[in-house]
Amino acid sequence: MNAFELEKFKNLFIDECSMLLDKLEKELLSLEEAPDDNHLLESVFRAMHTIKGTSGMYGFKYINEFTHILENIYQLLRDGKTTFTKDISNVSLQATDHIRNLLIDENLADKSNQELHKALLEKISNLNITTIQQPSKKSEKSTKIDKIEPSTWLILLHTDEQISFRGVNIMNIFEELATLGSYTIKRIEETLIPNCQSWLVFLTTLAAKEEIEDVFLFIDDNVKITKLDSKPVTKEILNKVSNNPNTIKDFILKQHDVKTVTSPEIHLDDHKEGRKISRSSTKRILVDSEKLDYLMYLVSELVTINSNLIQDGHRLKDGLFFEHLEKHSDLANLFRHSVLDLRLIPLSDMALRFQRLIRDLSGKLDKKIDFKTEGIDIELDKNTIDGLSEPLMHIIRNCIDHGIEKPEKRKSIGKPESGCITLSVVQGGSFVYIHVKDDGGGINREVVKNKAIEKGILRPTDEPTDRELFDIIFLPGFSTAQSLTDVSGRGVGMDVVKQEIGNLRGEIVITSQDGVGTTFTLKIPQSLNIIDSLHFSIADNDFIVPLLDVQECNQISLSDLKDRKNTGTIPYNNQLIPFIDLRHHLNLNGEYNKKVKTVILNSSNKLVAIMVDKIIGEHHAVIRQITKKAKILPIFNASSQLGNGKTALMIDTSILTSYYTN
Amino acid sequence: MNATYLSFHIGNEIYAVKTDNVLEVLQHQTITPIPNSPEYIKGIVNFRGEGIIVFDTHKQFNLETPLDYKKAFIIIMDLHVDNEVIKAGAAVDKVENVLTIDTSEIQPVPPIQKQLNIEFIDGVVNYNNDFLLLLNMERVFTHDQAEYLKEQNNNS
């Protein structure tokens, strides 16, 4: 395997390892809640073991060394020789963070990483001394009592470049192998089979051969499994063997039991627990977002060509041909919709970080806080999720620091000792509402008011409403924390939160009840690039407006409209609302029909009507911003390709209303 | 030092731009007009799923003959405007060739006459006995013709 190929595998390892670390972190946090859950413990152990094994394969020696020591602790836990303590979980969580560092800085080039590495290793070894020494003697005994001797297997594995394309995930294989027993992997430097990388795995297990074969079910052609004598393989043999390909061949040939594993039939009902786990982890794959963009481009081209075909196809007057074409266009549209969906990912991806934040911070502040989530499987655009992460972290940090009271205080006022932060997500139309709620003391209105008066934002005589008062919190440089902590800082933050939410075209509102708690509500569009819109036309020009801004579609007779021209308003629901003659403002040709279609727009609670020729219908629009550098009317802020290949201009309703009604 | 340029016709002149910023050359595209925009903005064209502004070089150069859009080429480019990279399309009569030019042979623009399009030219180079005018597309794109004409009228 040349350096380039190894690099490719390495990158794959980094991606997979990051996912595994996420899983590990999640499981460690659950393990804190239920330290006796053996199933979880097994899973944690397996994840560590897999990281250890595969990091060794790809030469991440520090990760390997690190996880090896960590794994020892979990081995003891697994054998029931020690119990899962807060200290262990602290170290393990820090370790997952550190392994993430090591994935980037594999050779510990960064000084701070070096120090961290040393400090963590020390921490881990200190753990060992206090909790583990005594029981470790027992462990020797207990293995002796064990009558069934584990046997050692030699597995010779060849992987080619295509292996990942065939849907085989090496990480999963090793994760599964870890369920059977402990193993060591060696990479064979020399090429035994052209274009293949060969690996030598020594597995010590109680499992039968069939079980091992099962693990390698999907790469059966390239694996040889041989039973060695039951003596455990020592490091020396291992080194001797693995450094010389000829000895490997000899070594394998000398075994009596040499036999190529024939590909076993796949029994669908033969699912083992281990396999189920590995399956679930392959449910999602990591895709470069540029590839998605390219796919999106291809799909829109396909849709355009399809509509061209339909237009030109009419000339052929061939019914059958046209039937095929219609089916083709249905498919193309379905295709387009599913590609749009690809960009959406669930909020639950973020929740883990919040859980970790709450855990770490509450410990630091001596508070007890539970974290609950509701509806976090709701999906948002990847970019939106990325943009939401920081502001939400900040809000939660505020809830922990300022919201939730200390346990003593909570007890004294009759609340349960543990506070609770709830993250709940509700979908409404193309918006997603995210509520972050704490059951703390609520925002002290007097404190905020006094501070605002002090800062000259309010006059002492002002009687602000809750909404007005809480909006002050989002002003730059406003902080009510009595003593500044290193947790939620000095009032830089809430203004940034508001700004970042604004960047996502979202809104944020605070509600708070004295002594009961505070709720932050974020209203976020589901996607920055995809919106539901109403498509209409004036003089054959296509336009769209966000469907959420549309109150109603109506019609009015042209003569009525002409009568009302001087007042500039039309009646709607017992009131007069202004109307905008877009045809006139945009210098478009033609005349309105006798029955003029009107679209009533609602822009921040201001109603306005526009006159159009044709209302074409709803359009699920992928919108693209139009550069602000071009000197065009600011009401056109984006464009969208229509299903028929034409382009519609999107009208920004808020700019439109302010532009033409003043 | 050599650099590659794309040469094309606008009216009777041959111009060239560096190929580095050229993304693609399109033909026979549906251009969606943007109502009430300056005359030199022809409209929006779909390029790789994006809506891209197309500007009319004839209008921007104040040429009398209108551009024939049935035959016109649209050069899609990355333009660097105010520290931002934006994609835009320049509609020209005909795209000619990709050439290699020795940058040391680029001459400054001779101040022949005060013509509007002089200020769009970065330099001139002799190529096979033809004069190639090296065009600064950023300036063509951001140039506000109405403003310019106003100034001209005030000065005269």
Side-chain angles (χ1 to χ4, degrees), chain A residues 297 300-301 541 543 585-588 624-627 629-633 636 639 641 645-647 649 660, chain B residues 32-38 40-41 44 46-51 53 81-82 84 86-87 141-144:
Chain A
Y297 153 65
S300 43
E301 288 299 294
N541 287 278
F543 301 103
H585 283 297
L586 299 179
N587 277 330
L588 297 171
R624 297 285 181 168
Q625 303 301 319
I626 298 175
T627 172
K629 300 283 174 226
K631 292 180 179 70
I632 56 170
L633 280 180
F636 303 121
S639 71
Q641 200 178 350
K646 283 162 82 180
T647 301
L649 296 170
Y660 289 121
Chain B
T32 308
I34 305 168
N36 233 7
S37 49
Y40 72 92
I41 289 179
I44 279 188
N46 241 304
F47 174 69
R48 299 185 188 162
E50 281 182 63
I53 301 262
V81 180
D82 303 340
E84 227 181 279
I86 56 166
K87 288 191 181 76
F141 179 69
T142 51
H143 180 77
D144 194 322

Side-chain angles (χ1 to χ4, degrees), chain A residues 311-474:
Chain A
Q311 272 169 19
D312 295 342
H314 277 293
R315 286 190 224 139
L316 290 174
K317 297 200 165 69
D318 183 336
L320 192 61
F321 171 77
F322 216 73
E323 217 171 278
H324 295 322
L325 211 52
E326 299 256 278
K327 271 184 199 148
H328 183 265
S329 90
D330 285 349
L331 270 177
N333 274 324
L334 272 176
F335 190 18
R336 181 164 165 269
H337 272 267
S338 49
V339 172
L340 293 185
D341 261 10
L342 284 181
R343 289 196 63 88
L344 300 180
I345 55 171
L347 264 159
S348 52
D349 284 26
M350 257 196 307
L352 178 64
R353 292 177 58 188
F354 302 149
Q355 196 177 351
R356 178 74 192 277
L357 175 80
I358 290 170
R359 178 203 170 275
D360 289 359
L361 260 190
S362 56
K364 216 169 169 182
L365 296 170
D366 288 324
K367 291 181 180 179
K368 286 186 183 165
I369 301 172
D370 296 328
F371 181 53
K372 284 185 192 158
T373 56
E374 282 161 26
I376 52 167
D377 49 346
I378 284 174
E379 294 181 319
L380 283 165
D381 189 88
K382 172 87 172 64
N383 294 339
T384 311
I385 295 259
D386 290 346
L388 267 177
S389 168
E390 276 307 312
L392 276 177
M393 292 281 262
H394 200 93
I395 291 169
I396 290 174
R397 225 178 277 142
N398 258 282
C399 291
I400 304 166
D401 197 14
H402 305 314
I404 308 267
E405 312 93 331
K406 298 233 170 186
E408 311 86 62
K409 172 140 192 236
R410 291 181 65 90
K411 222 172 161 185
S412 71
I413 52 173
K415 280 185 178 177
E417 262 185 52
S418 295
C420 183
I421 293 175
T422 315
L423 175 78
S424 61
V425 189
V426 188
Q427 189 163 8
S430 57
F431 281 90
V432 169
Y433 296 84
I434 303 169
H435 305 277
V436 181
K437 185 176 146 208
D438 71 50
D439 64 348
I443 295 173
N444 190 325
R445 289 169 176 75
E446 279 309 304
V447 173
V448 176
K449 200 177 160 185
N450 290 338
K451 191 107 184 183
I453 293 168
E454 193 185 301
K455 296 213 172 211
I457 303 162
L458 287 177
R459 278 166 303 184
T461 49
D462 282 343
E463 290 291 336
T465 63
D466 267 10
R467 177 121 190 206
E468 284 162 357
L469 191 67
F470 294 151
D471 272 348
I472 293 174
I473 296 172
F474 293 113

